[in-house]
Amino acid sequence: MLSYNEFWYERGIELTSDKRTALVIDPVDGRLPPRIETAIEAAAVRRAYVEEHRYDSYENRSTGDRCIMGFNAGPPMRSSAYNNNVMIFQSPGYVTILNEMVHNARIIPIDGGEHGALRQWSGDSRAHWEGETLVIETLNFLTETSLRGSTKDTHLIERFRRLDRDTVMYEFTVEDPNTLTAPWTAAMPLRRTDGPLFEYACHE
């Protein structure tokens, strides 16, 4: 049984203006860096455990299944099959990123201040401006990020830069010493769309 009919899916029928075939821009071959051996082993153990105990407890379900974090809501944000819309707005001292998926709202201080010690599902984010680029650094994730196989020690840098009236370039760099042999960076243009951001009624 399918959970949604075709009406809800966003299939993506257009290429980006530079006609890239991968979101990953670093490494330049568009592929993620190799995983470290201990991460491969840990993933295999986790898969086997989840397969055997998937329905024993809510704790064995993914954060997406539990409506805590959406696959494409992030951080970091990535496009997915549906609910890819995002609203970004700024008030004095803060920027807010509201994702359509799983109604995730990140309220981020723009003060370049120190990170706190409290671990959170979406991590602890601090922002600052570098010229006309908004830079957000996120640390202290509670467990994994929205990236499959990531760990709580992931270090995330996001960059938002307006290209024109209707386009913002979104880039993110991921560094996870527990999983990958090197950092990697992806880039994705966000295009302006008219209309409201509807509620995504998903609750744990």
Side-chain angles (χ1 to χ4, degrees), residues 183-199:
W184 59 279
T185 300
M188 183 173 64
L190 306 177
R191 294 193 306 186
R192 189 173 80 92
T193 184
D194 294 321
L197 196 65
F198 292 103
E199 177 191 10

Side-chain angles (χ1 to χ4, degrees), residues 29-122:
D29 63 3
R31 297 177 181 271
L32 295 180
R35 290 186 296 167
I36 61 176
E37 191 62 35
T38 54
I40 296 172
E41 295 168 0
V45 170
R46 176 66 181 161
R47 272 195 309 272
Y49 178 83
V50 168
E51 190 62 33
E52 184 176 349
H53 301 283
R54 180 184 309 256
Y55 304 107
D56 291 356
S57 167
Y58 67 93
E59 292 182 326
N60 295 338
R61 306 301 297 180
S62 71
T63 54
D65 285 345
R66 296 171 61 190
C67 298
I68 294 173
M69 293 178 67
F71 168 83
N72 55 338
M77 299 183 295
R78 291 163 297 147
S79 58
S80 184
Y82 55 89
N83 293 102
N84 291 305
N85 294 311
V86 59
M87 182 182 293
I88 304 170
F89 48 97
Q90 185 176 349
S91 60
Y94 296 89
V95 64
T96 298
I97 301 173
L98 174 63
N99 294 97
E100 183 177 30
M101 178 62 85
V102 191
H103 51 260
N104 187 39
R106 297 167 60 199
I107 303 172
I108 304 164
I110 310 177
D111 58 7
E114 296 294 322
H115 291 270
L118 180 65
R119 291 188 177 272
Q120 303 174 58
W121 287 111
S122 295

Side-chain angles (χ1 to χ4, degrees), residues 102-163:
V102 191
H103 51 260
N104 187 39
R106 297 167 60 199
I107 303 172
I108 304 164
I110 310 177
D111 58 7
E114 296 294 322
H115 291 270
L118 180 65
R119 291 188 177 272
Q120 303 174 58
W121 287 111
S122 295
D124 178 52
S125 299
R126 294 291 184 272
H128 66 276
W129 287 96
E130 293 180 0
E132 296 185 352
T133 299
L134 177 67
V135 180
I136 302 173
E137 180 183 36
T138 305
L139 303 168
N140 297 330
F141 290 94
L142 183 62
T143 56
E144 72 281 2
T145 70
S146 65
L147 297 172
R148 187 183 324 179
S150 63
T151 69
K152 64 182 181 179
D153 296 321
T154 297
H155 180 199
L156 176 66
I157 300 288
E158 298 167 283
R159 292 179 173 84
F160 297 81
R161 178 172 48 91
R162 184 179 288 278
L163 300 182

